[in-house]
Amino acid sequence: MPSRPMNWKSVVIGLGIVVLLLVAPLFLSRFYIYFLALILVTGLLATSLNIVLGFGGMYQFHHSVFYGVGAYSVALMITKTSLPAFVGFMVAPIVSALLAVVMGLICVRLSKLYFGMLQLSLGSLVWALVFRWYSFTGGDDGIHGIPLPSIISSINTSYYFTLIVTGICLALMYAVTNSPFGRIFQAIRDNPERSESIGVNVKLHQLVGQCIAGFFAGIAGVLFVTVEGSVFPDLMFWTLSLEILIMCLLGGWFTFLGPMLGAAIMVSLRTVVGVYTEYWTMVLAIILMLLIYFLPEGVLGYFLEKIKAHGSGVLREER
Amino acid sequence: MEIAANITLSALAQQFLVGLSRTTILFIVSSGLSLVLGVLRIPNVAHGSLYMLGAFLCYSISLFFGGGSTGFWMALVLAPLCVALISLAVERGLFCHLYDREHLMLLLFTFSFMLLFKDLVKLVWGSDYRSLSAPEILQGSFSVLGMPFPRYNLFLLVLGPLVALGLWFLTNKTKIGKIARAAAVDREMVAAVGINVSWVFAAVFVIGCFLAGLGGALVAPTQNITQGMDHTLIMETFLIVIIGGLGNIWGALLGALIFGLTDSMGVLIWPQFAIVFPYVAVVIVLMFRPKGLLKATW
């Protein structure tokens, strides 16, 4: 069967990437390490969005609000309280998850576009609050120069921290999408009415999905703080939400690792094309248009479709 | 933090009028979006970029005709027409092949247009902001209960209802409007009775984009014309269209009223968090009327 060697191949490719990422700080300059860390953080964020978008079929139009809230929670915990930073690291994702539950409770009654719009307005509400609450969040300036624990304050250690946490989160999310919960979630995506009629509590599952996605987005927010050392309201502006939506689409939103690939493509494009021309968004826009025109399944989705691989569960999720 | 410290009758009246003129701009732009969403079902994120383009074009065309009053009036007519022409090319060239794609895909496709327009504007006009002054007849202000109120805003207040009436006439009394409304409900049926739906869609798309350009041209004298002026506006117009009821022109008017007035009244109540009020209003509306206040065409 052709599926066997593919499985083997993808394991080798996966291991190769992991090893490369592990040894990268030995021979790459500071800038590229930062760049890799940014890809990992953005990729984690996009993957967390894809749990509800690709696997749950929910139009999550404003996902970056959980990312921003996670980042702001940890930044505020470090700068405003005397608690150890790692407590902040633990609490921030929980704050994001709680917000996701609260927003989810309001939104899950609706579906598709209406869900997305209510989510967008609630997220914008949070953004507007953060944007204007100068005395607490620093308003549109944000918070800069957040003191990090010394163990992760150098670029290499923060990179390894990001790499390890991202790896663990990806493994956890993969487990979630392949758990019974994940299967039901996909069933809801494909046919909510039929799921409902066989006794699945659709709204509850969607709410739990929101909570999980919000939690991991919060972790991505924490990692952003460890990489960047600052937070600003753009972290939860709706344009970022659309950008990560595009990453999911670009990589392939019916695959598990697609969003990660999409994030890598977007962040690299911005950095590489940005070196040559300040008009990098135009290049991105044209690439996007071509992709939507010709590869509606996304890059990874397209290649998987071509290869028709079935063996590797990591790369391919059955639709 | 001075909460509700400066609410007087005259301040209230002034903010009310300011809110109404903001409403006019919001209504003109969001009615265009509503038309496109209601009939073509394209969530056009690039609508805000067309608004920005309208403002920049208004600036340049006005300069081309030597500035001053003539320049402005020429620009006010020509800038939305240019935007309409651009949108016609885009629709015929690209969108018309994509109508049966999923909404999410169309959303992302229009988002890539938003990125494209953003850089095109940067390429043509640079990153500096521009400003344009209103024609002399609309400069200055008159007093409302002892508070100054700009004449230009009065012009907007007159124009808003005219646009609303024009749109109502177009959708309800003309043949193309009737066909468009029918196509919004069932496009196969309309095609089956021998009407070229594709061109009706193109016309609706162009009218919608014309309104975005008109909104941009109208807003040009009242604020700095900058890159990124589309970012908050497009989200606001989307929310307006949703709370009003998708595809409903009067819904867009109602939504724009809610948005514009909560914003301007918020300035009186709690200036620091004035931008939060419209979002609170939207959330409240959507919690009780998730499909919008008025009947949606979807």
Side-chain angles (χ1 to χ4, degrees), chain B residues 11 25 27 99 208-209 227:
Chain B
I25 300 287
F27 164 69
Y99 285 140
C209 296
Q227 284 207 31

Side-chain angles (χ1 to χ4, degrees), chain A residues 20-21 23-36 155-156 159:
Chain A
L20 275 181
L21 284 174
V23 299
L26 297 179
F27 52 87
L28 282 181
S29 69
R30 209 185 142 75
F31 172 73
Y32 284 102
I33 295 306
Y34 165 76
F35 168 64
L36 276 182
I155 182 77
N156 277 356
Y159 169 74

Side-chain angles (χ1 to χ4, degrees), chain B residues 9 13 27 48-49 53 59 76 82 99 123 132 134 148 153-154 192 219 242 248-249 251 281 290:
Chain B
L9 187 64
F27 164 69
S49 311
L53 206 60
Y59 167 81
L76 196 56
C82 290
Y99 285 140
L123 199 66
L132 179 70
N153 288 22
L154 185 75
V219 89
I242 291 287
N248 190 318
I249 300 297

Side-chain angles (χ1 to χ4, degrees), chain A residues 74-87:
Chain A
V74 72
L76 289 171
M77 294 269 286
I78 291 176
T79 54
K80 304 259 169 176
T81 68
S82 52
L83 292 168
F86 282 102
V87 176

Side-chain angles (χ1 to χ4, degrees), chain A residues 249 252-254 290-298 302, chain B residues 101 105:
Chain A
L249 172 89
W253 50 314
F254 292 118
L290 292 175
L291 267 173
I292 296 168
Y293 233 93
F294 297 110
L295 302 184
E297 296 272 318
Y302 172 75
Chain B
R101 295 284 179 91
M105 285 291 172

Side-chain angles (χ1 to χ4, degrees), chain B residues 223-245:
Chain B
Q223 66 176 64
N224 287 332
I225 308 165
T226 60
Q227 284 207 31
M229 66 191 280
D230 56 331
H231 278 185
T232 38
L233 181 106
I234 182 63
M235 189 173 60
E236 289 172 358
T237 47
F238 256 104
L239 295 177
I240 285 169
V241 168
I242 291 287
I243 61 174

Side-chain angles (χ1 to χ4, degrees), chain B residues 6-287:
Chain B
N6 44 4
I7 301 185
T8 59
L9 187 64
S10 56
L12 206 64
Q14 192 200 23
Q15 278 302 315
F16 184 72
L17 287 175
V18 168
L20 278 187
S21 29
R22 177 81 190 135
T23 300
T24 309
I25 300 287
L26 287 174
F27 164 69
I28 291 175
V29 180
S30 51
S31 60
L33 183 69
S34 186
L35 211 58
V36 172
L37 253 172
V39 179
L40 281 78
R41 319 247 156 146
I42 299 179
N44 187 7
V45 188
H47 201 72
S49 311
L50 295 170
Y51 158 85
M52 175 169 69
L53 206 60
F56 272 101
L57 280 172
C58 181
Y59 167 81
S60 289
I61 294 174
S62 154
L63 276 195
F64 181 77
F65 286 100
S69 294
T70 31
F72 178 79
W73 295 117
M74 289 303 279
L76 196 56
V77 175
L78 289 179
L81 283 177
C82 290
V83 173
L85 266 181
I86 293 169
S87 66
L88 180 68
V90 168
E91 203 276 343
R92 285 291 93 186
L94 294 165
F95 279 112
C96 63
H97 306 298
L98 294 171
Y99 285 140
D100 39 339
R101 295 284 179 91
E102 222 177 322
H103 297 317
L104 203 57
M105 285 291 172
L106 286 171
L107 182 86
L108 294 174
F109 196 68
T110 57
F111 182 66
S112 53
F113 267 101
M114 186 178 144
L115 295 177
L116 187 69
F117 281 130
K118 178 186 157 210
D119 265 10
L120 280 179
V121 165
K122 193 157 90 180
L123 199 66
V124 177
W125 283 279
S127 339
D128 304 336
Y129 67 80
R130 306 296 166 94
S131 56
L132 179 70
S133 51
E136 258 160 51
I137 193 172
L138 297 176
Q139 278 175 5
S141 54
F142 58 96
S143 91
V144 175
L145 296 172
M147 299 286 259
F149 184 69
R151 275 165 198 257
Y152 190 80
N153 288 22
L154 185 75
F155 169 63
L156 290 181
L157 290 187
V158 175
L159 208 63
L162 285 181
V163 171
L165 275 177
L167 270 177
W168 173 81
F169 186 79
L170 188 78
T171 48
N172 288 286
K173 299 288 169 198
T174 62
K175 196 176 168 202
I176 183 163
K178 286 176 182 169
I179 295 174
R181 282 192 302 141
V185 180
D186 191 339
R187 70 179 76 163
E188 280 85 15
M189 199 58 216
V190 174
V193 294
I195 292 163
N196 190 344
V197 183
S198 174
W199 276 99
V200 174
F201 278 14
V204 170
F205 188 79
V206 167
I207 293 168
C209 296
F210 173 85
L211 288 169
L214 182 65
L218 281 173
V219 89
T222 64
Q223 66 176 64
N224 287 332
I225 308 165
T226 60
Q227 284 207 31
M229 66 191 280
D230 56 331
H231 278 185
T232 38
L233 181 106
I234 182 63
M235 189 173 60
E236 289 172 358
T237 47
F238 256 104
L239 295 177
I240 285 169
V241 168
I242 291 287
I243 61 174
L246 278 170
N248 190 318
I249 300 297
W250 302 114
L253 183 59
L254 194 59
L257 266 175
I258 290 173
F259 223 94
L261 289 183
T262 46
D263 194 30
S264 66
M265 291 300 151
V267 172
L268 283 183
I269 298 165
W270 198 354
Q272 191 190 354
F273 287 109
I275 59 166
V276 177
F277 284 83
Y279 297 114
V280 175
V282 170
V283 169
I284 292 172
V285 169
L286 286 183
M287 279 174 73

